[in-house]
Amino acid sequence: MSATIIETVDITKIYGMGDISVAALNGINLKIEAGEFVAIMGPSGSGKSTLMHILGCLSQPTSGQYILDGEDVSHLDKAQLAAVRNRKIGFIFQAYNLLARTSALRNVTLPLLYNHADAKLSVEDGDQKARAMLELVGLGERVNHQPHELSGGQQQRVAIARALINDPVMVIADEPTGNLDSRSGEEIMNLLHKLHSQGTTIVMVTHDPKIAAHTQRTVILKDGVIDVINHNGNHHPTLEVQHEAA
C-alpha cells in the first residue's frame, strides 16, 4: 500500500477581511498518494495558484488541515515552512528561475546550501550528486554552461535537476512547458514521465488540457472548490510512438 504524500482536509484560504473578504479556496479535500502524477487545472480565479502555494508550503491555509508526508504543516511559521520546502519539495517553475552567470552545476547545488539536515553533504559529495542529477536529465556535458548558453528546454532540465537534488517526497511543477516551444515541451514531458516511472510523485499546475492529459488524474478547480476529477489512465502516447520508432 502506497503512502499518502498529500492530504488536505477542508482547506480554505480567505484574503481580506469582513465585507471585502474573498474565499480563494473554500473547502478543498484532496489526497495524492506516493508515486502519483497529478495535474491541477482551472480557469483564472479558480484557486489553482492558491492551492499550489499551499501544497508547496509557500503559504498557510486560513483554516483546515494540510498533512504533507505524514506531517501536519497547516500552522507552521515561515521559517518552519521554508525548512519543510527545502527538505521535502522540489519546484519546477515556468520561468526556470536559474541564477544568471552561474554554471548549471552551481544552480543544481544551490538547494544543498539551505539543507540543514543532519546528513548534510560535503561540497565534493554535493557536486558529485549534482553531476548525477544533470546526467539523469541528459545534461551531463553541460555542467559548466551558464543559463544564457543553454536553450529554454535545457534550462528547464537544469531546473528539474535542481528540484531533485534534495531527494524530495514530491515535485511541484508550475506550468513547466509554458515558456517552451512544442518540441521542447514534449521533451520536458517525456522527462517528467521518466521521473514518474522511477517513482517520483509529481503535482503539475497547467492551463493546457493536452499537457494535463499526460497525468494519471486531473483535478479541476472552479470558484475555489474541486469541480471534477478526471482519471486519465497511465498512458503515454508520445513515449509509445518513440518505442515504435526505435
Side-chain angles (χ1 to χ4, degrees):
M1 184 176 176
S2 61
T4 299
I5 297 299
I6 285 175
E7 182 175 6
T8 70
V9 182
D10 294 329
I11 287 290
T12 70
K13 183 67 175 181
I14 298 172
Y15 294 103
M17 294 179 65
D19 293 339
I20 58 171
S21 65
V22 175
L25 297 176
N26 192 14
I28 298 292
N29 292 284
L30 180 65
K31 275 190 179 183
I32 296 175
E33 305 296 326
E36 275 201 280
F37 191 177
V38 177
I40 296 174
M41 290 188 69
S44 179
S46 64
K48 65 180 184 295
S49 294
T50 301
L51 180 58
M52 183 199 73
H53 279 84
I54 291 174
L55 297 183
C57 294
L58 294 164
S59 68
Q60 296 171 307
T62 303
S63 65
Q65 267 188 307
Y66 174 30
I67 301 166
L68 172 63
D69 192 30
E71 178 182 359
D72 189 341
V73 299
S74 314
H75 306 294
L76 300 184
D77 62 30
K78 288 183 178 180
Q80 291 169 323
L81 283 175
V84 170
R85 279 199 308 273
N86 189 258
R87 191 172 74 251
K88 293 194 172 186
I89 304 171
F91 289 94
I92 305 166
F93 299 100
Q94 178 176 343
Y96 323 133
N97 289 15
L98 301 178
L99 293 178
R101 297 183 297 281
T102 304
S103 70
L105 184 72
R106 287 290 154 252
N107 268 288
V108 174
T109 59
L110 190 62
L112 297 175
L113 300 177
Y114 302 98
N115 187 346
H116 302 299
D118 292 337
K120 189 170 183 178
L121 295 176
S122 66
V123 173
E124 294 78 10
D125 288 343
D127 284 0
Q128 184 177 353
K129 187 172 184 182
R131 289 178 188 275
M133 293 297 101
L134 286 166
E135 287 278 359
L136 178 66
V137 301
L139 290 179
E141 303 300 316
R142 297 283 192 275
V143 292
N144 295 316
H145 285 61
Q146 297 180 10
H148 69 89
E149 299 173 308
L150 301 171
S151 68
Q154 289 172 332
Q155 290 184 59
Q156 192 62 293
R157 287 172 180 270
V158 174
I160 292 171
R162 179 185 59 193
L164 298 172
I165 191 72
N166 274 336
D167 301 316
V169 298
M170 72 167 172
V171 168
I172 291 183
D174 182 15
E175 302 280 7
T177 63
N179 279 359
L180 301 174
D181 60 46
S182 57
R183 181 174 179 178
S184 297
E186 187 175 291
E187 290 174 352
I188 291 302
M189 289 311 302
N190 286 341
L191 178 55
L192 292 180
H193 275 285
K194 176 184 176 182
L195 297 175
H196 173 235
S197 72
Q198 295 172 351
T200 303
T201 306
I202 304 173
V203 178
M204 179 175 65
V205 176
T206 181
H207 69 280
D208 187 341
K210 292 180 180 178
I211 294 297
H214 281 260
T215 67
Q216 294 169 297
R217 287 194 292 157
T218 302
V219 178
I220 301 176
L221 301 186
K222 182 179 180 182
D223 299 329
V225 300
I226 294 176
D227 185 40
V228 65
I229 296 178
N230 293 329
H231 293 266
N232 307 319
N234 196 17
H235 66 288
H236 190 280
T238 303
L239 286 182
E240 287 168 9
V241 169
Q242 287 184 341
H243 290 327
E244 290 170 6

